[in-house]
Amino acid sequence: MALGTIADGISRTVDAVAETLTAPFSDPVIRLGVTGLSRAGKTVFITSLVANLMNRGRMPQLVAAANGAIRTAYLQPQPDDTIPRFPYEDHLARLTAPEPRWPDGTRRISELRLSLRVQPTGLLSGLSGPRTVHLDIVDYPGEWLLDLSLLDKSFADWSAGVLSRIGDRPSGADVSAALAAIDPAANLDEPVAQSLADAFTAHLHAARDAGYSDCSPGRFLLPGDLEGSPVLTFAPLPATPGAGRRSLYREFERRFESYKKNVVKPFFRDHFARIDRQIVLVDVLGAVHAGPRAVEDLRHAMAEILSAFRPGRNAWLTRLLGGRRVEKILFAATKADHLHHSQHPQLTAIAEALLREAKDRAEFAGADTAAMSIAALRTTVEDRVDHNSAPLDVVRGRLLDSGKVAAFHPGALPDDPAHLLSPARDGAKAWLDEDYAVMQFAPQPLTLKPGDGPPHIRLDKAAQFLIGDRL
Ligand SMILES: Nc1nc2c(ncn2[C@@H]2O[C@H](COP(=O)(O)OP(=O)(O)OP(=O)(O)O)[C@@H](O)[C@H]2O)c(=O)[nH]1
Ligand SMILES: [Mg+2]
């Protein structure tokens, strides 16, 4: 057993002991994991959830909000001193400004603790006083999530996978050309290593911009403090049997392992290992709009990520999680305000089918799961218009680029998700029957009544599923 593995095991045990010792004397904590690729809607979700838990007027489906059990909700200092605080007030101020704006893409990790003062209702209400439940939430750049799928891959496996896909992706040819010009068995030459890493990084950026989901390693896209360090200076290489100790191949293999050990593992150990409840946000509509290849890519990426949570699949993570498991997982198709509610069941069905593989694996681990279509921040109103002398259900909102108000119908989603997922799996280049459009809506300028949070779709239902039983 490697030393690092032993050390991981030890710190886990110490953690577990500390938790058992302090648990009876401290307030209960729910750690909510908000999981989603870049642009899935994590930051907007967290901001709106917290705002709607603090002002609960729009949360009728959260039982403890509707029956008054939640007396107050307030922000508290978070438990981890070394992690930046989630800038909740800044995000909310931007979303609710007279000229509302969406948050920027998240570039670093942050954390927030919301405390709920809860008075039990019903028969026992007179017997016990109010208690406090803490909700801890972490926000992070979606790009980093993909790294979870690297943990159980060797450098050779990872390289083979990437190189098999790279051919028909944006700037993939540049990486192939750079690889053709070098000999992986030759001794390491740092400028060569750097130029390969640069070509590969440029390709990852181009692929992400073209709508591909599986653009890992995530820190190549968002390096932060690690920019220029050896741990980010590698690239996939073709199999090179017998490469010597000082070869480029061996050095890249070492850096890949170092990336897993020093970058990926600490992130997941510190932020995923202790999660009780998880919401997986997926921008299904965005992928459908981008076409069959983006849908297939999203399906593949989500299955890879979530399968890491399957017991036994990854020894390191299994050990890290110990006996602990995520109790509830909600799969949510985000941005449902782009669709009239008559199409929400179809959207949910597509999300469920898309995530079936991932979900089966999570269920395998004993978690309670559900799927829903939600909008953390509703930007549209529903309307019905005449279209070719037939009524058409549309949504109406303010467009992000022009600021004009427009009615929008993105195309009819099929009742049977297979009509989208099968062509995607079969490698179709475009949808046959329907063109799916997507519009970018700006947040609506709001005039909130006292006691109301920002408008949403099913955020209360999502909250009930995720934390309702603990309130
Ligand atoms: N209409 C609508 N758009 C949304 C909603 N939530 C998110 N969006 C859109 O999706 C974009 C991304 O949302 P974020 O919350 O920043 O996504 P994220 O998952 O935090 O992304 P990263 O920080 O890059 O990982 C926003 O800029 C909006 O354009 C929603 O509820 N309704
Ligand atoms: Mg974000």
Side-chain angles (χ1 to χ4, degrees), residues 83-85 106-111 138-141 144 267 271:
I83 300 174
R85 180 176 177 279
T106 303
R107 305 193 69 83
R108 59 176 194 174
I109 188 161
S110 63
E111 185 181 41
V138 170
D139 191 27
Y140 58 89
W144 297 358
F267 175 58
H271 306 296

Side-chain angles (χ1 to χ4, degrees), residues 37-44 102-103 105-106 140-142 335 337-338 375-377 379 440:
L37 299 173
S38 176
R39 313 320 282 150
K42 297 180 295 300
T43 303
V44 175
W102 296 110
T106 303
Y140 58 89
K335 313 180 193 179
D337 55 329
H338 283 97
L377 189 77
T379 62
Q440 292 272 19

Side-chain angles (χ1 to χ4, degrees), residues 92-175:
L92 186 68
R94 269 178 87 133
L95 287 172
T96 55
E99 280 286 323
R101 279 181 304 141
W102 296 110
D104 294 331
T106 303
R107 305 193 69 83
R108 59 176 194 174
I109 188 161
S110 63
E111 185 181 41
L112 191 71
R113 164 167 283 191
L114 178 74
S115 298
L116 301 162
R117 195 92 179 124
V118 185
Q119 171 69 55
T121 53
L123 280 179
L124 299 176
S125 56
L127 298 179
S128 58
R131 59 200 170 85
T132 305
V133 179
H134 304 294
L135 182 64
D136 287 353
I137 314 179
V138 170
D139 191 27
Y140 58 89
E143 284 86 350
W144 297 358
L145 186 64
L146 287 162
D147 287 344
L148 194 50
S149 66
L150 298 182
L151 281 175
D152 60 349
K153 289 202 178 95
S154 66
F155 179 63
D157 290 344
W158 173 73
S159 292
V162 173
L163 295 177
S164 73
R165 293 190 297 268
I166 210 166
D168 43 72
R169 294 196 172 188
S171 304
D174 298 345
V175 178

Side-chain angles (χ1 to χ4, degrees), residues 182-266:
I182 57 110
D183 174 11
N187 279 359
L188 168 75
D189 176 40
E190 201 55 46
V192 169
Q194 189 66 57
S195 70
L196 285 174
D198 287 349
F200 182 57
T201 307
H203 151 71
L204 288 179
H205 278 283
R208 184 184 53 176
D209 294 346
Y212 284 96
S213 300
D214 61 342
C215 306
S216 60
R219 304 278 172 145
F220 280 54
L221 292 167
L222 271 182
D225 291 346
L226 294 173
E227 184 144 27
S229 64
V231 85
L232 297 191
T233 312
F234 66 89
L237 291 175
T240 312
R245 214 158 44 84
R246 299 156 69 92
S247 63
L248 181 74
Y249 188 90
R250 288 279 165 256
E251 179 60 13
F252 274 15
E253 185 175 41
R254 191 193 67 74
R255 290 180 187 184
F256 177 80
E257 292 302 329
S258 172
Y259 181 85
K260 285 183 356 191
K261 176 164 172 276
N262 296 311
V263 178
V264 187
K265 284 188 177 183

